[in-house]
Amino acid sequence: DGQRLLSASSDGLIRIHGLQSRRSLKEFRGHESHVNSAMYGHDEKTILSTSDDGTVRVWDVPSADCIGKERIALTASASIASTLSVLDVISLPQNPEQYLIVTHSPVCFIVLSNAKVIRKFSIASSSLSIEGEGEGDDIVCACISRRGQLLYVADVTHHISVVEGFVDGQNK
C-alpha cells in the first residue's frame, strides 16, 4: 500500500514499519532463530515467513498471531527428520494460494497458504545445468520467471539450474 514496510530479522522477529512514522507498528514473535524472509500473502491479511529454525509460519496481520506452522524436513518421520534452514518463500504467479519454499539443501517445497506442504522435489534430479561444475548442492538463492513457468536456482558451487514444470510435478 506504499505506507508500510515488512521486514524479517536476525533477532527472530517480523516487523511492520510505518514509512512515514519511521516506527515499528507491529511485531510478530514465534520463530526460534533468524527469520530469513517474510512476505504478505495474496490477501494481504496474512504474512508467510521462513526461518533458520526450519519452519514456515503463517501470521494473521490484524492480531499478529501465528495461525499456521510447518516444520520443513527432508523426511516425513519426525524421529529421523533432518530440519532444514528455510531461506525464502516465493509466491507462485499462476496460483496465489501456493508458495515455493526454498531451503538450504537441494530440495524445494510447494506449500499452501496455511503452510502445509503439498509437494517436495529435488533440484538435482530435475534441472538443466547452465554453468558451474557441481549439481545438487545446497541452494543459496532462487527465483521464478514472471509467468511462473521456470525456476532458476543457484547453489553454493555457483551451479545454476533451470527447472521447468516444478509446480505441476512434471519436472523437466
Side-chain angles (χ1 to χ4, degrees), residues 100 106 108 119 121-130 139 142-145 148-154 159-172:
L100 175 72
C108 289
R119 188 158 148 17
F121 62 95
S122 171
I123 297 302
S125 64
S126 59
S127 65
L128 166 68
S129 176
I130 299 297
I139 297 169
C143 66
I144 298 174
S145 64
Q149 305 295 328
L150 301 172
L151 170 63
Y152 302 95
V153 177
H159 176 259
I160 298 172
S161 300
V162 180
V163 182
E164 297 178 72
F166 64 94
V167 174
D168 58 14
Q170 303 299 316
N171 299 356
K172 298 175 188 167

Side-chain angles (χ1 to χ4, degrees), residues 11-72:
D11 63 6
L13 298 177
I14 299 133
R15 293 181 179 88
I16 297 176
H17 306 272
L19 291 177
Q20 289 188 347
S21 69
R22 296 184 182 186
R23 296 182 190 266
S24 177
L25 303 176
K26 192 168 282 195
E27 291 184 346
F28 301 80
R29 298 174 181 271
H31 280 293
E32 299 166 9
S33 188
H34 303 278
V35 180
N36 294 318
S37 68
M39 68 172 290
Y40 283 100
H42 74 305
D43 59 3
E44 296 195 13
K45 295 177 184 174
T46 57
I47 292 171
L48 283 87
S49 62
T50 65
S51 170
D52 281 348
D53 67 9
T55 64
V56 175
R57 294 178 188 244
V58 181
W59 307 89
D60 177 65
V61 172
S63 70
D65 291 336
C66 180
I67 58 173
K69 174 183 169 184
E70 184 78 15
R71 185 158 304 278
I72 302 298

Side-chain angles (χ1 to χ4, degrees), residues 128-146:
L128 166 68
S129 176
I130 299 297
E131 64 179 55
E133 295 182 17
E135 185 173 316
D137 286 302
D138 290 350
I139 297 169
V140 293
C141 67
C143 66
I144 298 174
S145 64
R146 179 181 286 176

Side-chain angles (χ1 to χ4, degrees), residues 89-132:
V89 56
I90 304 170
S91 178
L92 297 179
Q94 65 276 54
N95 189 338
E97 290 289 326
Q98 294 181 0
Y99 299 86
L100 175 72
I101 301 301
V102 181
T103 66
H104 192 59
S105 80
V107 178
C108 289
F109 299 80
I110 306 283
V111 300
L112 297 174
S113 58
N114 63 2
K116 296 298 177 199
V117 174
I118 60 170
R119 188 158 148 17
K120 173 174 82 170
F121 62 95
S122 171
I123 297 302
S125 64
S126 59
S127 65
L128 166 68
S129 176
I130 299 297
E131 64 179 55

